[in-house]
Amino acid sequence: MDLIGSELAILWNDGTEQFIPLKLLRKECPCAWCAKNAGTQSSGPAYTEDSFQVRSMVPVGGYAFQIIWCDGHAGGIYGYDYMRKLPNR
Ligand SMILES: [Zn+2]
């Protein structure tokens, strides 16, 4: 798993490579707050440039990653299964 430019590159155990744009990753943030606010025009999350920059990624129990974004948002735990279902570039 590697950050390349504005994308997250993942090499899965079966050899599949996946490239997920960070913008998409942030918009698909699985935390309760984002899930609740996604798609609602009036109260949707207000993104800034920092919202799409990753500050750090912390492994969670061998099945997921917590992504901490540069705007301070850190609620999203991205399970491997969840990431695999995201569209590949
Ligand atoms: Zn979130």
Side-chain angles (χ1 to χ4, degrees):
M1 190 166 308
D2 233 335
L3 284 170
I4 301 174
S6 61
E7 292 182 318
L8 177 67
I10 307 169
L11 178 60
W12 297 102
N13 284 338
D14 65 3
T16 310
E17 275 191 281
Q18 189 177 10
F19 296 90
I20 307 171
L22 294 179
K23 237 175 204 173
L24 183 133
L25 202 60
R26 174 61 191 265
K27 286 184 175 163
E28 297 292 332
C29 177
C31 83
W33 189 86
C34 289
K36 190 164 140 264
N37 289 283
T40 57
Q41 302 239 322
S42 53
S43 61
Y47 296 117
T48 65
E49 281 298 301
D50 284 347
S51 306
F52 304 115
Q53 306 283 330
V54 171
R55 181 180 293 162
S56 60
M57 297 179 66
V58 185
V60 178
Y63 66 89
F65 268 91
Q66 178 186 14
I67 300 183
I68 296 145
W69 301 91
C70 284
D71 65 352
H73 190 70
I77 308 286
Y78 292 75
Y80 295 155
D81 289 349
Y82 184 83
M83 288 198 275
R84 253 202 120 134
K85 282 188 203 125
L86 293 174
N88 197 353
R89 170 172 62 75

